[in-house]
Amino acid sequence: MIDLPDLAHVKAALRAQRIETPSWGYANSGTRFKVFPQAGVPRSPEEKIADAATVHRFTGAAPSVALHIPWDRVEDYGALARYARDLGVAIGAINTNVFQDNDYRLGSVTNPDPVIRRKATDHLLEAISIMDLTGSRDLKLWFSDGINYPGQDDIRDRQDRLAAALRQTYDRLGEDQRILLEYKLFEPAFYVTDLPDWGTSYAHCVELGERATVCIDTGHHAPGTNIEFIVAFLLRQNKLGAFDFNSRFYADDDLMVGAADPFQLFRIMNEIVRADALDPAYGINFMLDQCHNIEAKIPAIIRSVMNVQEATAKALLVDRDALREAQQEGKVLEANAVLMDAYNTDVRPLLAELRAEDGLDPDPIAAYHRSGYQQQIEAERAEGQQAGWGA
Ligand code: RM4
Ligand code: MN
């Protein structure tokens, strides 16, 4: 008989868990074929923050919201941060955007034209100024830079240009600020992407220094990539800074985390628990980076937070002593069974109990639907321009 880990310990770990939601997840989104607008979608950064605060109100686990510049550009960032604080959430990572300007056809920080490289780097520096005003710790960098045809540009020169822009950005960071460097295999570039994988991101982070760490977007790999290996490796090197959680069946699908492959999410969280890296004090930012193209947005984000909690609870239930013993003794099937026992445990009653103990509704989605918030935003936000990828 396997001893289950002490439940008080499991509950304490789950209570401490924090998941950051993305402002753009509340806005309209779609594919290149069609964006289907939804009633009640925010028209401003403030309304996105209000929705994020609502997710936090029902889950108790999502106390920060990531912004995306320029989609969330405002006159007064200090006021925006105060607005968020009054609603019970903090401004999280600042995401930069050097992929939507006409100037970036041949790249942003890796563009062959130094004037365009300057403009792109200035945007990254501007994002740090916004962090100064909002109190954000994390600067998230994702570059769509790359080339489509062999010979189009010099692969190595582009690495030099990337390194130079990252250096300038890193040197501008305040003491408590850091860079989260994201990578993505392909799209929009189809031949070379300048930051295609975790190894490239890791190497640039090592070159930059302690305050540069890798961000793993779970949708940014080749099919079949073993993401938990990347997690384990980066944790061992102290270079895992963040996740952009989502799930995918094919490419960068940006579906709800844990929807396409809940077992993969469990395997990832298992490495996190193995490294004792769950607590916010460890410094990993567990963010969502998702788009809800056809499903209702706020319930989808609540669902996503719950999916991460469920995978985490299962990872916390792994009997570490039994696992280690089986591993040491080379008992392959027994070791695998320890993991599967935890994965196959229904943790929903445990999470419901935890929420009830904390004064939350045990069923956050049902509570959201009962709350009237959706009807309220649909009425209040009937007029005006809904937020989307361009605003
Ligand atoms: C990019 C990347 C970034 C996110 C934007 C919206 O593909 O994943 O993390 O900020 O999308
Ligand atoms: Mn991402």
Side-chain angles (χ1 to χ4, degrees), residues 24 68 71 95-96 99 140 142 182 184 217 220 244 252 254 289:
W24 55 99
H68 195 113
W71 302 338
N95 287 252
T96 50
F99 51 89
K140 171 126 75 68
W142 175 70
E182 186 173 351
K184 181 178 172 182
D217 185 314
H220 287 188
D244 267 1
D252 189 18
D254 280 341
D289 179 11

Side-chain angles (χ1 to χ4, degrees), residues 50-290:
D51 289 359
T54 302
V55 169
H56 182 46
R57 182 151 64 91
F58 290 104
T59 61
S64 62
V65 52
L67 299 187
H68 195 113
I69 308 299
W71 302 338
D72 296 317
R73 209 182 269 296
V74 291
E75 282 289 306
D76 186 341
Y77 288 98
L80 191 68
R82 284 191 295 280
Y83 174 82
R85 200 179 319 130
D86 288 346
L87 292 181
V89 289
I91 306 289
I94 301 297
N95 287 252
T96 50
N97 182 326
V98 283
F99 51 89
Q100 282 189 313
D101 191 291
N102 290 339
D103 278 348
Y104 299 142
R105 185 175 61 94
L106 300 178
S108 65
V109 294
T110 65
N111 198 295
D113 181 344
V115 174
I116 292 172
R117 295 207 293 275
R118 182 71 263 153
K119 168 174 167 170
T121 310
D122 283 344
H123 172 71
L124 309 184
L125 300 177
E126 180 206 354
I128 302 178
S129 305
I130 294 172
M131 291 162 69
D132 293 340
L133 297 168
T134 52
S136 303
R137 176 190 58 176
D138 295 337
L139 175 69
K140 171 126 75 68
L141 305 178
W142 175 70
F143 300 101
S144 64
D145 293 44
I147 57 183
N148 277 1
Y149 293 98
Q152 180 192 320
D153 195 6
D154 188 89
I155 294 174
R156 184 163 164 174
D157 282 353
R158 292 176 75 92
Q159 285 300 308
D160 290 338
R161 298 171 198 150
L162 173 62
L166 289 174
R167 170 53 59 199
Q168 279 188 40
T169 309
Y170 187 87
D171 287 347
R172 163 69 179 81
L173 289 176
E175 242 174 59
D176 298 324
Q177 296 172 339
R178 52 180 202 163
I179 282 178
L180 304 174
L181 190 57
E182 186 173 351
Y183 57 89
K184 181 178 172 182
L185 178 63
F186 84 102
E187 195 202 25
F190 294 121
Y191 164 52
V192 171
T193 297
D194 294 315
L195 253 170
D197 53 28
W198 69 268
T200 311
S201 174
Y202 170 76
H204 280 284
C205 287
V206 169
E207 217 174 298
L208 288 171
E210 239 181 31
R211 279 169 295 144
T213 53
V214 179
C215 172
I216 300 179
D217 185 314
T218 47
H220 287 188
H221 307 87
T225 299
N226 182 335
I227 298 178
E228 62 271 24
F229 172 80
I230 303 171
V231 173
F233 182 92
L234 291 175
L235 282 168
R236 183 171 175 274
Q237 299 292 334
N238 247 321
K239 278 292 180 197
L240 179 58
F243 285 96
D244 267 1
F245 277 138
N246 50 57
S247 69
R248 51 77 74 80
F249 287 100
Y250 298 103
D252 189 18
D253 303 354
D254 280 341
L255 300 174
M256 292 187 296
V257 59
D261 192 347
F263 185 42
Q264 178 187 62
L265 181 60
F266 162 76
R267 297 191 314 261
I268 290 172
M269 295 315 297
N270 178 50
E271 292 307 323
I272 295 291
V273 172
R274 154 72 179 78
D276 256 329
L278 190 59
D279 196 273
Y282 188 94
I284 296 178
N285 190 348
F286 297 90
M287 302 181 282
L288 307 178
D289 179 11
Q290 306 183 156

